[in-house]
Amino acid sequence: MSEPLQNQISALLLPDTQFTLAEADVKVRAVDADGRVAVALTCGFPVRGIEAALREGISGLLAGEGKTLASLELNARITSHAVQPNLAPLENVRNLIAVGSGKGGVGKSTTAVNLALALAADGARVGVLDADIYGPSVPTMLGLSGKPDSPDGKTIEPMHAHGIAAMSIGLLVEQDTPMIWRGPMATSALTQLLNETRWGELDYLIVDLPPGTGDIQLTLAQKIPVAGAVIVTTPQDVATLDARKALKMFEKVHVPVLGLIENMAVHVCSNCGHAEHVFGEGGGARMAAQYGVPLLGSLPLEIAIREQGDAGVPVVAAAPDSAAARAYRAAARNLAVRLALRPRVAPSISASLLG
């Protein structure tokens, strides 16, 4: 093994993030055989989508040393990360990520679905639980209809779309039926939905929480084993004021906030290309700096995001090479790296022996 080369490779930036490979805790192994170098990287997050960029970066570095890249092996080892005290991770779900917002109308559900699709596109096994009980929009966004199956009358098979598993209260009731439920009934239904869905093996389960910071959100955050939370806001002060409340709520129930996502940050005119900050500029960055949490990404205000969501094929799936899809993928990669750096759940003795 060549330690100097390993150190140089470790200093490369991870694509779409502010992290070097070393800072992202990527294990680097480089073997130099007469100038032909075999490189193996082991990461705690999905890497399929960044293989080409990593290959290019490593090849360029080696070329500067008069060497060539003989092979590049990428291994993603996504483990379970610590949840709130007195709770244990779900058996088949390695990491549950809650997506919340201080208020409605900031694009939380759209963001949750596109983040899930972005993680899946990078090679992770992903599910989405629509916990927005009063406005379940995930079935529409994923183009799902019909009722899920229950093979044994006790558990439910999730529905699948665009490579991810999904479950929503909206799939179990008629589309125009209002959910006139009080807090305890709603939280009971959602915890049941979480625990009785046959998710299979998932690396990430994205939970789209109801907007706000009331009784339902608080109870869910206390009862569901969450590895990390993401808060969605728009740049204007009215939205960031409410997002601060969501951040404080997660802190109170000992759920680590992985970061903020600033939605509708900029609108680029499709005719002339003029960029305009319709909802103000930099609100997410200011809030992130004030509270010491990362800004995972800034997403555009773009008509295609709305159109594709309404059509049941979100923009990450419908137009993967678009600027909007790239922004979602960058946010998802930052989220995955932030989670990978969190404390891990200690494996059981039997799991350690098997591993």
Side-chain angles (χ1 to χ4, degrees):
M1 284 191 292
S2 173
E3 196 168 322
L5 272 182
Q6 286 177 177
N7 292 337
Q8 286 177 277
I9 293 168
S10 294
L12 289 173
L13 273 178
L14 189 67
D16 285 331
T17 77
Q18 301 289 310
F19 295 96
T20 64
L21 297 185
E23 289 165 345
D25 201 24
V26 175
K27 305 292 183 286
V28 179
R29 188 170 179 272
V31 178
D32 186 354
D34 300 324
R36 287 175 53 77
V37 183
V39 177
L41 306 179
T42 303
C43 315
F45 43 87
V47 288
R48 184 196 292 160
I50 57 174
E51 181 174 356
L54 283 171
R55 185 179 295 278
E56 185 180 336
I58 295 169
S59 295
L61 185 151
L62 293 175
E65 300 290 320
K67 302 176 187 295
T68 58
L69 179 63
S71 64
L72 175 61
E73 182 186 329
L74 291 181
N75 301 300
R77 292 187 182 161
I78 302 167
T79 58
S80 293
H81 294 272
V83 299
Q84 309 96 303
N86 307 318
L87 290 177
L90 296 174
E91 193 175 338
N92 295 323
V93 176
R94 288 190 172 143
N95 298 288
L96 193 152
I97 299 167
V99 179
S101 65
K103 65 192 289 291
V106 297
K108 170 183 55 63
S109 298
T110 301
T111 301
V113 166
N114 278 291
L115 285 177
L117 291 169
L119 289 168
D122 271 356
R125 298 167 297 182
V126 185
V128 176
L129 175 64
D130 186 356
D132 193 345
I133 202 122
Y134 299 120
S137 52
V138 167
T140 300
M141 289 185 188
L142 290 176
L144 295 171
S145 59
K147 296 280 191 286
D149 292 329
S150 176
D152 54 7
K154 295 176 184 176
T155 57
I156 314 166
E157 287 284 351
M159 301 188 86
H160 291 83
H162 313 300
I164 62 174
M167 181 49 64
S168 168
I169 201 78
L171 293 167
L172 303 175
V173 298
E174 295 303 320
Q175 198 167 19
D176 54 356
T177 302
M179 305 304 293
I180 310 172
W181 287 358
R182 293 192 184 275
M185 192 173 175
T187 50
S188 170
L190 285 169
T191 48
Q192 212 173 330
L193 206 57
L194 172 67
N195 293 315
E196 293 179 6
T197 298
R198 301 164 68 135
W199 294 108
E201 293 287 334
L202 293 182
D203 297 313
Y204 305 104
L205 177 60
I206 308 295
V207 179
D208 178 21
L209 290 177
T213 53
D215 175 57
I216 295 174
Q217 294 83 348
L218 195 59
T219 308
L220 285 173
Q222 289 171 321
K223 288 189 173 183
I224 292 177
V226 182
V230 176
I231 296 167
V232 180
T233 185
T234 45
Q236 75 267 38
D237 290 342
V238 172
T240 55
L241 280 171
D242 290 325
R244 287 174 169 86
K245 294 173 188 172
L247 191 148
K248 289 294 180 186
M249 179 195 75
F250 284 123
E251 284 180 355
K252 280 189 175 177
V253 293
H254 307 290
V255 170
V257 175
L258 300 172
L260 302 175
I261 290 182
E262 184 181 51
N263 196 23
M264 310 184 205
V266 62
H267 173 255
V268 178
C269 177
S270 55
N271 288 325
C272 69
H274 171 68
E276 190 166 10
H277 297 274
V278 179
F279 294 109
E281 187 176 357
R286 285 192 297 275
M287 180 180 161
Q290 184 179 351
Y291 288 94
V293 295
L295 181 65
L296 299 174
S298 291
L299 306 173
L301 174 62
E302 194 174 294
I303 193 168
I305 297 173
R306 194 273 304 162
E307 287 175 340
Q308 296 301 150
D310 287 351
V313 189
V315 72
V316 168
D321 296 325
S322 65
R326 288 198 300 271
Y328 281 114
R329 282 201 301 275
R333 285 166 188 162
N334 277 289
L335 159 65
V337 173
R338 291 280 173 188
L339 180 60
L341 295 174
R342 295 273 313 145
R344 297 176 185 177
V345 172
S348 63
I349 293 171
S350 57
S352 301
L353 291 172
L354 288 169

